[in-house]
Amino acid sequence: VVVTADAGADDAACAVATELAQHAWDLRPRYRTTVTSVGDAVRAAADAAAGRRPPVILADTADNPGGGAPGNTTFLLRELLDAGVDDVVMGLQCDPGVVRAAWDGGIGAHLRCTFNEGSARPLAVPLTATATVTALTAAPLVPTKGVYRNMQRHPGRCCALELVGPSGNRIRIAVSSHKVQCADDDTLLHVGIDPSAARVVVVKSRGHFRAGFAHLFGGEQVVEVGAPGVATAVIGDVDWANIPRPVFPLDEIDTWVPVVSVHGAKVAT
């Protein structure tokens, strides 16, 4: 906590800093992030797809390109395919190799495509599925709503695929060459996928999607999913090294005493 004060007001500044720091410490339980497990999220999606609950939007928060993630994880996609969940739309998955294969095949082509082909990285696990190319585009993206309204975005060449799961379930997925956060429905419409009629929508976004999908989903329909990813907000799941312990919120700490330091500086005029 930094408090700036006039000369001679050091005691008042120290008192304010201490009060604010203590207040923040008292509120610390509110700072612990909670998300829905992948298993529970897939069950919610299955219920929505079957009409047992209203449509849902699953936020793959840890693979959010807006937070620096590459947009290429396949954990949630694999679980939805294997669970037989139908009526799912998803994006944007970033995979230039898949996009290239789709463009080579053309609209209507049937492919055996592999996401993250050749990858040995633990968060970019390959996934192979049968797919049909349903759309291709290389146009710039200009969303009409949400935080990126009227801004030109550049996902590069894109394609839309219809993937077929082991039980015959189908997932429509938008794939881009450059990573772009799916912060609005225009990002999916751009690649020929209309989320308004889907029972399950999956977006790689942390929070910006709320403004861009507010006309389709209320807050009670949002499921923030705790799948693995480099932008995870669930920092307790990270295998930390080279940091001092104990440290909040990784460890339970019951006592803390704020220490105030006073620094003086002369401002040039």
Side-chain angles (χ1 to χ4, degrees), residues 101-190:
W103 276 75
D104 289 345
I107 295 176
H110 300 290
L111 309 173
R112 186 71 174 164
C113 64
T114 299
F115 295 95
N116 299 322
E117 187 169 14
S119 170
R121 291 170 291 169
L123 296 176
V125 180
L127 182 153
T128 301
T130 300
T132 301
V133 182
T134 60
L136 301 170
T137 184
L141 163 65
V142 182
T144 63
K145 60 185 73 67
V147 296
Y148 295 110
R149 180 175 177 267
N150 294 334
M151 297 182 186
Q152 191 171 91
R153 314 198 74 202
H154 300 277
R157 290 203 306 178
C158 300
C159 68
L161 304 175
E162 185 173 80
L163 307 182
V164 181
S167 61
N169 56 309
R170 297 178 182 274
I171 293 179
R172 290 170 289 160
I173 184 169
V175 189
S176 62
S177 298
H178 303 152
K179 63 177 185 175
V180 168
Q181 179 183 183
C182 187
D184 44 72
D185 64 334
D186 291 301
T187 302
L188 295 174
L189 291 167
H190 177 72

Side-chain angles (χ1 to χ4, degrees), residues 22-116:
Q22 188 63 56
H23 184 59
W25 177 251
D26 292 341
L27 294 177
R28 67 190 182 281
R30 297 175 57 183
Y31 308 148
R32 293 188 182 276
T33 301
T34 58
V35 291
T36 302
S37 69
V38 173
D40 286 345
V42 170
R43 282 186 282 274
D47 287 344
R52 294 188 292 268
R53 62 174 290 171
V56 293
I57 182 166
L58 309 185
D60 191 357
T61 59
D63 197 29
N64 166 31
N72 64 357
T73 65
T74 56
F75 303 107
L76 187 52
L77 174 59
R78 182 183 300 277
E79 293 298 325
L80 290 167
L81 282 169
D82 290 348
V85 182
D86 226 339
D87 201 6
V88 179
V89 302
M90 181 176 183
L92 290 176
Q93 185 82 16
C94 181
D95 196 308
V98 169
V99 173
R100 189 182 313 113
W103 276 75
D104 289 345
I107 295 176
H110 300 290
L111 309 173
R112 186 71 174 164
C113 64
T114 299
F115 295 95
N116 299 322

